[in-house]
Amino acid sequence: MTDPVHDATGAPPTPDDAPLLAVRSVSRSFGDVRALVDVSLDIRQNEFFALLGPSGCGKTTLLRILAGFEHPDTGSVTLGGADLLALPPERRPVNLMFQSYALFPHMSVERNVAYGLEREGLPKDEVQARVAEVLRVVGISETARRRPSQLSGGQRQRVALARAIVKRPRLLLLDEPLSALDRKVRGEMQLELKRLQHEVGITFVVVTHDQEEAMSMADRIAVFQRGRIEQVDRPVMLYERPRSLFVARFIGNNDLFPGTIAPGGLEVAGLGVLPTAESELAVGTAAWLGIRPEHIALVGEGAPRILTGEVIETQFLGGASTIAVGVSGYETPVLVTQAGATRLERGATVGLTWDPARAVVLPSE
Amino acid sequence: MGRLLLLGPGLLYLTVLFLLPIAAIVGISFLESNRFGQLRWEVTFASFERALDPLYLRVLATSVVIAGITTLLAVLIGYPTAWAIARLPPRWRLVVLILVVLPFWTNFLVRTYAWIVLLNTEGPISGVLQGVGLIESPLQLLYTPGAVIAGLLYAYLPLMILPLYVAIDRLDPELREAARDLGASRARVFLTVTLPMTLPGALVGAIFVFVPSLGNFVIPELLGGGKTVMIGNLIRDQFLKTRNWPLASVLALSILGILLVLLILQSRLSRRYAPVSHD
Ligand SMILES: Nc1ncnc2c1ncn2[C@@H]1O[C@H](COP(=O)(O)OP(=O)(O)OP(=O)(O)O)[C@@H](O)[C@H]1O
Ligand SMILES: [Mg+2]
C-alpha cells in the first residue's frame, strides 16, 4: 500500500492494482461530535463494499464527503488517482442513492431517471433509450409515467436506484438503501442489488447498520465505531477472525471470556487457562477470548473436555438449537449452537470443548 | 344532520356576507338608474355597454398593470426574503416572521400617511437625493403611479412572504442535493427543482397581493392624489357619488371575473406541480 499522496503536480500514475477510491486520514467534527476520526480506506474497482456500524458512527458523513456535500476537516480522497475533494458534487463521477430516496415529487418516474442524463446534454433519443433500458433492468418499466407518490416503497427504491445507476458512475454510493423496506422485500432486494452490481459493473459502496445485510451482500466490509474504523475485511474473516471486542460483539453471537494472556491460552478467573489460537499479545496482558457458539462441541462423560457444565436451557430454532450451559466457577451461561434438534434435557451434565484455533484472542478495550 | 348543524354558522356567514351581496350586484348590474340614482326595475344590458367605454377599459387596464407590477415586485423581493428567513437558525425564524407581519398591527391609514411624509417633495427621500447631488430640484415622488405601487407593495408584501416561506421551508434540502449529485449546477437546481416546487406558494402569494391591490381605492387616492385612478376608485365613486349602481355593479363584476380567471389558473398550475398528479 502506498503512502498518502499529496502531490501538487498532478495525479500519480495508477497501476492496475491501485485502488479505485483511496480515503486517507479523513477526519470530520461537528462541534464536539467527532463524526469521523482518521479514517483510511481503499476500495477496489468493481468491489461491493459495505460500511457497517451502529447509528451515529459516521457512515452517512463519509458518504456525503465522497458525494461532495460535506468536506473533511483534514485528510484526502482520490478517485482513480485524481483528487476528488477538489470537484463540486455535480462534477464528480460519483452518484449517491439517498437514504430518503429524494425523488423529485413533481416529475414522473421517467423524468426523474432522465434528469441526470439531460444534465449531461445527451441527445433526446439516447436519453430515452437509456431510461427505458435502466427501468427494464430494475424491473419497473410499467411505472414510467407515474409520480413517485403513486409508487410502493419497493418501487420507489428501484426508481432511486435506477436514477443513480443510469449515469454509469464510477462509484455508486448507497445510504441504507433497503432500510425502508419490510423484511421479505429486503431479502429479495439484497440479492437483486448484488445481481445488478455484476450486471452494470459499477463499484458499490453500501451503508448499513444491519450486519446480516452487510454479510450477505458485500465483498468487503468496514466496521465503524464512533467515527473510527475497527476492521476492514471479507465477511468470512470478520466473522471468524474479529480483531476487536467491538467487532466480535457486533457481528453474530460470540461467547466471550475476560482474562489475562497465559502461555498456551487465556487465564480466566475461576476456569483456569482456556486454550486459544496464537496471539501477539504479551503474557500477562488483559484480553478476551471469543468463540462462536457453533464452534463449541458438547461431549458426554469420559470424553476429553475443556469445561464442564450443566444444561440450563435449550431452545429449538428450526434449523438449529441453542443450548445455554452453566459452567461452575463462571457466572455468565455459555451458549452453544448445534445443527438440528437437541436431545439434551435441562439439568444434564455436559463437557465443552473446542478447536483452539477457533478461539480468537481479543485485546481489551 | 349533526354535521349540518356544525356547518350552520359558517353557511349563514357565507350566505349573508358573501353570496347575497354578490347576488345583489349581479342583479343590479342588469338594471338602470335615473339621474337621481333610483333603480328602474327593467332588465337591460345598458350598463354593460357603457362599461365597454374606452375610458373605463383604460382605467381597468391601468389597475391590472399597477396590481400586476406590484405583484411582480412582491415576488422578486419576497422570494429572496422568504429564502433568507427559511435559512435562519430555527429560533430566529419566528422573530423575523413576526417582524414581517408587524406593520399589520398598526393602522392602515397611519402607515399610508407615513408614505406621504416620506415621498413628499420636502420629504427625506427627495432631500437625501438632493443632498448627495443626484438630483438638482426637489423630486415629485408623491402622486405618481410609482407612489401607488410603492404603497401597495408595502401594504401587501407580507402576504407574499408568508406563503413563500412555508413553501421554501417545506422543501426537502436533499432534493436539491440529489439534483446536484445528478449533475445540475446551482442555477439548474434552482430552475428545475426549487422554483417548480415552490411555485404553488408563489402563486398563492401572488393572488394574496394581486387581489387586494386590484380593488384598492385608499392607496391610489392618498398616494396617487386622484391622478392615478384605479378601478376601485371608479367603483366607489359610482356607488357613492354618482350613484350609478348598475354601472358600479358591472365594474365590480369585471374585477370578480378577473379574479375568477386567476384562481382557475392558479389551481391549474399548482396541480401541475403538486406531488400527486390528477390526470
Ligand atoms: N450536519 C451535522 N451537524 C451536526 N452534527 C452532525 C451533522 N451531521 C452528522 N452529525 C453528527 O455526526 C455523527 C455521525 O453522523 P452520521 O449521520 O454520519 O451517522 P450514521 O452512521 O449515518 O448514523 P445512522 O445509522 O443513524 O444514519 C452523529 O453523532 C451526528 O449527530
Ligand atoms: Mg446515516
Side-chain angles (χ1 to χ4, degrees), chain A residues 28-31 33-36 53-62 64 70 99 175-176 207-209 224:
Chain A
R28 177 74 170 107
S29 300
F30 299 101
V33 181
R34 301 174 81 190
L36 292 174
S55 191
C57 67
K59 306 173 301 263
T60 298
T61 305
L62 180 57
R64 290 175 60 81
E70 199 71 71
Q99 190 163 356
D175 196 353
E176 311 243 1
V207 158
T208 175
H209 58 246
F224 278 74

Side-chain angles (χ1 to χ4, degrees), chain B residues 47-60:
Chain B
S47 296
F48 285 90
E49 273 163 39
R50 268 197 73 190
L52 288 176
D53 185 308
L55 183 72
Y56 297 131
L57 287 182
R58 202 169 319 128
V59 172
L60 187 63

Side-chain angles (χ1 to χ4, degrees), chain A residues 156-365:
Chain A
R156 264 178 234 178
Q157 193 247 341
R158 283 159 205 253
V159 178
L161 187 62
R163 192 176 69 172
I165 59 176
V166 76
K167 295 207 24 139
R168 296 178 194 151
R170 297 187 68 185
L171 189 64
L172 180 65
L173 311 170
L174 304 102
D175 196 353
E176 311 243 1
L178 309 179
S179 61
L181 305 179
D182 64 50
R183 235 189 141 62
K184 192 168 157 287
V185 186
R186 212 156 138 167
E188 289 167 20
M189 286 309 294
Q190 286 172 3
L191 291 177
E192 201 154 337
L193 270 185
K194 192 95 188 120
R195 172 185 70 81
L196 252 168
Q197 196 242 349
H198 278 292
E199 205 163 305
V200 295
I202 297 174
T203 308
F204 275 39
V205 178
V206 177
V207 158
T208 175
H209 58 246
D210 178 344
Q211 48 112 354
E212 278 177 36
E213 186 167 293
M215 303 286 271
S216 69
M217 291 196 294
D219 299 320
R220 281 194 311 149
I221 299 172
V223 181
F224 278 74
Q225 192 208 187
R226 283 197 236 114
R228 290 173 197 274
I229 292 188
E230 287 274 327
Q231 189 170 351
V232 183
D233 239 321
R234 289 182 290 121
V236 182
M237 293 304 285
L238 274 183
Y239 188 81
E240 293 191 342
R241 286 272 167 273
R243 275 197 265 122
S244 75
L245 200 54
F246 176 80
V247 174
R249 284 199 173 120
F250 194 68
I251 303 218
N253 289 320
N254 251 310
D255 285 306
L256 295 164
F257 302 88
T260 47
I261 303 281
L266 190 83
E267 172 139 30
V268 179
L271 299 180
V273 176
L274 304 181
T276 63
E278 272 183 47
S279 137
E280 292 130 33
L281 296 177
V283 169
T285 336
W288 290 68
L289 181 157
I291 185 157
R292 299 285 168 194
E294 68 270 23
H295 290 154
I296 301 181
L298 295 178
V299 292
E301 250 169 276
R305 64 199 45 210
I306 297 169
L307 294 170
T308 305
E310 187 179 294
V311 175
I312 302 175
E313 205 167 356
T314 66
Q315 200 179 13
F316 179 55
L317 300 164
S321 310
T322 300
I323 301 132
V325 181
V327 176
S328 43
Y330 193 67
E331 243 175 81
T332 326
V334 178
L335 297 182
V336 180
T337 318
Q338 280 186 334
T342 179
R343 258 173 273 115
L344 286 169
E345 297 275 325
R346 187 181 302 184
T349 304
V350 288
L352 285 74
T353 184
W354 59 78
D355 173 3
R358 296 282 197 189
V360 289
V361 174
L362 306 162
S364 278
E365 268 166 1

Side-chain angles (χ1 to χ4, degrees), chain B residues 203-246:
Chain B
L203 287 172
V204 168
I207 298 258
F208 282 179
V209 173
F210 189 84
V211 170
S213 297
L214 185 65
N216 202 292
F217 54 84
V218 176
I219 291 174
E221 187 155 296
L222 293 179
L223 301 180
K227 276 196 272 174
T228 309
V229 179
M230 285 180 70
I231 190 82
N233 304 85
L234 210 55
I235 294 171
R236 190 206 40 189
D237 289 351
Q238 293 295 339
F239 266 120
L240 303 180
K241 291 190 189 156
T242 327
R243 293 189 54 80
N244 187 344
W245 282 25

Side-chain angles (χ1 to χ4, degrees), chain A residues 9-80:
Chain A
T9 59
T14 42
D16 288 342
D17 61 341
L20 173 69
L21 181 81
V23 177
R24 290 285 171 274
S25 311
V26 162
S27 297
R28 177 74 170 107
S29 300
F30 299 101
D32 303 339
V33 181
R34 301 174 81 190
L36 292 174
V37 186
D38 196 26
V39 168
S40 295
L41 265 184
D42 280 317
I43 295 177
R44 293 189 282 263
Q45 185 83 45
N46 285 333
E47 203 167 17
F48 197 122
F49 197 92
L51 307 178
L52 174 66
S55 191
C57 67
K59 306 173 301 263
T60 298
T61 305
L62 180 57
L63 276 204
R64 290 175 60 81
I65 285 175
L66 299 182
F69 300 120
E70 199 71 71
H71 219 78
D73 300 329
T74 56
S76 70
V77 179
T78 57
L79 183 78

